[in-house]
Amino acid sequence: MMSHRSFGGDGLFVFVKINPNKFLESFNEIGQYYWDNFNIMIDQSCKNKNRLRFLSYDPYLFHNEKALKFIAKTKILYPAHRVEKSAPILHKDNR
């Protein structure tokens, strides 16, 4: 697994080892995992496996050489509507 900041700096790009013959199933299950565990919606335009990807410079790039391959098991359908997670509102008096 490897991750780095997006070109614009406001997102995160994550590379995950998968079976290339199960690309769409893997994409859907990984998306469901991020939604269920972190309330993060992944960019659906990335499901096009022919989409070009350019690496961004990130001095804090993370690379886990021992990452295991993600194994897609079933097709998962995303909920029809999702609300993107927003940052909590902090009050000056920390209430």
Side-chain angles (χ1 to χ4, degrees):
M1 191 210 41
M2 182 175 79
S3 63
H4 65 81
R5 297 191 100 184
S6 65
F7 183 73
D10 60 350
L12 186 66
F13 193 85
V14 178
F15 294 86
V16 178
K17 292 180 186 180
I18 63 166
N19 176 346
N21 296 322
K22 297 236 178 211
F23 178 83
L24 190 56
E25 293 90 341
S26 298
F27 179 87
N28 288 334
E29 286 188 38
I30 291 167
Q32 191 69 51
Y33 175 82
Y34 276 89
W35 178 253
D36 291 345
N37 291 282
F38 308 110
N39 200 27
I40 295 174
M41 184 170 42
I42 63 174
D43 183 352
Q44 292 297 303
S45 63
C46 295
K47 73 169 60 177
N48 175 357
K49 66 180 175 180
N50 296 322
R51 184 176 189 216
L52 292 176
R53 176 68 202 148
F54 297 95
L55 290 175
S56 301
Y57 172 75
D58 183 349
Y60 303 105
L61 176 119
F62 175 79
H63 182 222
N64 179 358
E65 294 181 11
K66 296 180 181 180
L68 301 175
K69 184 186 289 187
F70 179 85
I71 306 296
K73 298 176 183 170
T74 61
K75 287 187 179 183
I76 294 179
L77 300 175
Y78 287 95
H81 175 70
R82 292 187 182 178
V83 177
E84 291 190 37
K85 185 175 184 178
S86 60
I89 298 171
L90 300 176
H91 298 280
K92 288 182 181 179
D93 59 1
N94 292 327
R95 281 190 276 160

